[in-house]
Amino acid sequence: MRLLWRWLGCVSTAALVCFSFFLALALLWTATQILSLRADVRALESTTAARRAAYRATATAIDIDREYLGLRSGASIVRLQQTAESATPLAATAEPGKDAPLPVRTPAPEDISLPKLLVPRSPPADTWLSGTQVPSPAPEAFRAHRLVNIALLGSDEQLGGDSFIRTDTMVIVSLNVETGTVSMLNLPRDLFVYIPHGSMGRLNTAFGLGEKLNWEPGRGFGLLRQTLFYNFGINVHYYARVNFAGFEAIIDRLGGVDIAVDCAYRDHYPVGTEEDRRSIENGYRMRTLPVGYYTFDGFDALWYARTRKYTDDFDRGRRHQQLVRAIWRKARRLGLAKTMPQLWPELTEIVDTDIPFEQMLRLLPLAVTLDLDDVQNFTFHKIYHTRNWETPDGWSVLLPNQGAVTELMQALYTPPTRFQAALAGPSIAVFNASGEANWDIVASERLRWGGYNAVALGQIGEGEAHSSNLLIDHVAAEKGSIVPGILRALNMTEEQVTREIKADRDYDYVVIIGGDHKSCTFGVLPLDG
């Protein structure tokens, strides 16, 4: 018995020693991770401090009257010029012996420190460049809530031999930290705008010019940021940029993304080796992508994002927003938003961004709780927001229609109350009777994009087929009906509506997708053959 107790005592002592050893290792590993994280944070803080110092150094280096300089803590926008007449009210009255206050309409949020925007001098009135008159500075969009604006950029420097960065993808994401909502706006690459380095040019060249000129402050994004404020009146605080390889890597890291394709597309599709792709004959084949619901890997997602053969930049910008939404949906499903602090080093190896680590942590609660129903999408519309124009050099570009663009920017800054009211309003059931797989999902996604509370419910009946679309209206409202909006979104006509008032109903409206469904309402040309 004594031997047994002695043996048990030895075993207990050995177990305790092992436990203490592994506990010490765990504590040491945890301490190492914390020190590493703190080192990363300190490095990011020093980068932020250096950037702010660059702002200040640039402001004092510009040869203008010092009374119009200043980086007051309450000013999110610093104007480096005197304006004789300004619609922006002054923030305060100057005290005797001190500089005149800066005209500020939208001070930075108290709990989120945002980088200040330096606004350069405007060119003299009636200045002409590249065959067109330089537009006046756009009015500043009024901001009634705390916003953090981020430019999502996609660049193509991998394709060109000159290494010049062209941001053919430009999506502005406006985070409303008070309402917990998000608005997105894509900017067409061919917008011909005033670039504050002193020329007119395509909007997609502003970032590359800033990089090439070592523009200060902020290099590429610094010049793009000033360009956006001058032409559109919006203050974009940060950027995140990926090239083609980075975009593919993000999609593949997520395991692919799901996209409801509501227009059929046909374009050249890369095949074979890189050497094969040097010629159209050997490296590409024509690919047709029918309407449907697809899971794209990075390669196919890039093709979907870039195709233009039967469409234009307006539709392409809409697809870019689709992909941003799909990436976010998949990231939330995988729970990656909650692990963003751990993924940040890996992400910043793929994404070029100036968002500080500590700022990402402040915005993380909004990101974790954000639902796609809280996202409102805006796009430019041909003819209404822009007009076609040809430069003296023969470039086909788009000139902004200032009045319509100003309204669009103000809508971007306004919380999506009507949009959310529609999503919480009348319910729409979407059934599939077309004979094509998942067309109910395609139609419901199109309705939700337009702000309607729609849900896809799959096949109606047991293999039941309809030759044509049908909308059953169980409300039959005389005023305020959403039927016209449903018809526009799904490209239907009034003849396809049946009114059956039903008090005891599961859904207010029922859409049955038939074989003649033509879901494309975005100006994509029909495929030939």
Side-chain angles (χ1 to χ4, degrees), residues 314 379-388 399-408:
F314 297 89
T379 59
F380 276 68
H381 293 283
K382 191 185 305 184
I383 301 176
Y384 182 69
H385 292 114
T386 66
R387 61 186 185 278
N388 295 328
L399 292 177
N401 294 329
Q402 189 59 68
V405 170
T406 297
E407 293 177 357
L408 181 62

Side-chain angles (χ1 to χ4, degrees), residues 51-62 71:
R51 186 178 299 114
R52 289 171 179 165
Y55 277 117
R56 291 193 292 272
T58 304
T60 55
I62 296 177
L71 294 172

Side-chain angles (χ1 to χ4, degrees), residues 262-263 265 311-312 314-315 318 446 449 519-524:
D262 44 20
C263 297
Y265 296 96
T311 180
D312 54 26
F314 297 89
D315 176 66
R318 177 187 67 90
R446 175 63 185 89
W449 177 278
S519 62
C520 188
T521 60
F522 299 102
V524 180

Side-chain angles (χ1 to χ4, degrees), residues 229-497:
F229 187 78
Y230 183 94
N231 294 277
F232 308 122
I234 57 174
N235 181 10
V236 180
H237 307 105
Y238 301 108
Y239 79 96
R241 181 177 67 92
V242 295
N243 57 23
F244 292 163
F247 177 79
E248 288 190 48
I250 291 172
I251 300 293
D252 290 336
R253 173 69 173 79
L254 294 171
V257 293
D258 299 327
I259 294 289
V261 177
D262 44 20
C263 297
Y265 296 96
R266 181 179 297 157
D267 206 340
H268 290 95
Y269 185 80
V271 295
T273 65
E274 291 293 335
E275 183 65 28
D276 293 334
R277 295 175 193 172
R278 296 181 184 276
S279 67
I280 293 293
E281 293 79 11
N282 298 326
Y284 296 85
R285 62 176 173 81
M286 290 302 294
R287 178 195 185 186
T288 299
L289 181 69
V291 172
Y293 192 64
Y294 299 93
T295 298
F296 289 150
D297 62 11
F299 193 82
D300 283 339
L302 182 62
W303 181 87
Y304 180 70
R306 297 188 63 219
T307 182
R308 293 182 64 201
K309 187 171 181 61
Y310 286 85
T311 180
D312 54 26
D313 272 338
F314 297 89
D315 176 66
R316 190 166 74 158
R318 177 187 67 90
R319 283 179 273 126
H320 293 165
Q321 292 192 44
Q322 269 190 312
L323 286 162
V324 172
R325 291 169 66 100
I327 290 171
W328 178 246
R329 181 191 291 118
K330 189 61 175 290
R332 280 202 64 186
R333 187 186 307 163
L334 296 175
L336 297 181
K338 296 179 181 178
T339 60
M340 186 64 73
Q342 292 79 17
L343 295 174
W344 191 251
E346 178 185 350
L347 185 63
T348 51
E349 289 182 2
I350 301 173
V351 180
D352 171 33
T353 182
D354 65 345
I355 302 175
F357 179 77
E358 61 270 22
Q359 190 73 293
M360 180 275 296
L361 292 179
R362 292 189 186 99
L363 297 174
L364 192 59
L366 171 61
V368 169
T369 58
L370 179 67
D371 190 87
L372 286 180
D373 288 347
D374 298 323
V375 178
Q376 188 172 14
N377 301 87
F378 295 95
T379 59
F380 276 68
H381 293 283
K382 191 185 305 184
I383 301 176
Y384 182 69
H385 292 114
T386 66
R387 61 186 185 278
N388 295 328
W389 189 68
E390 185 174 301
T391 70
D393 297 328
W395 301 346
S396 296
V397 296
L398 300 169
L399 292 177
N401 294 329
Q402 189 59 68
V405 170
T406 297
E407 293 177 357
L408 181 62
M409 299 304 151
Q410 192 57 62
L412 176 72
Y413 270 23
T414 304
T417 50
R418 287 188 302 172
F419 183 82
Q420 290 179 317
L423 284 169
S427 57
I428 306 172
V430 183
F431 291 96
N432 189 11
S434 65
E436 303 289 345
N438 298 321
W439 274 19
D440 58 310
I441 300 178
V442 174
S444 64
E445 286 284 291
R446 175 63 185 89
L447 288 167
R448 296 190 75 82
W449 177 278
Y452 296 104
N453 180 16
V455 57
L457 297 178
Q459 179 68 35
I460 189 171
E462 296 182 6
E464 183 178 341
H466 285 231
S467 60
S468 181
N469 285 357
L470 177 64
L471 170 59
I472 303 174
D473 178 4
H474 290 317
V475 179
E478 295 183 2
K479 294 183 179 180
S481 174
I482 66 171
V483 167
I486 297 174
L487 297 180
R488 283 193 300 271
L490 298 182
N491 208 14
M492 295 172 60
T493 65
E494 183 66 35
E495 287 71 27
Q496 294 173 300
V497 179

Side-chain angles (χ1 to χ4, degrees), residues 492-510:
M492 295 172 60
T493 65
E494 183 66 35
E495 287 71 27
Q496 294 173 300
V497 179
T498 298
R499 289 175 173 81
E500 300 176 3
I501 299 178
K502 188 177 180 182
D504 182 19
R505 56 181 181 262
D506 295 325
Y507 296 93
D508 299 310
Y509 302 90
V510 174

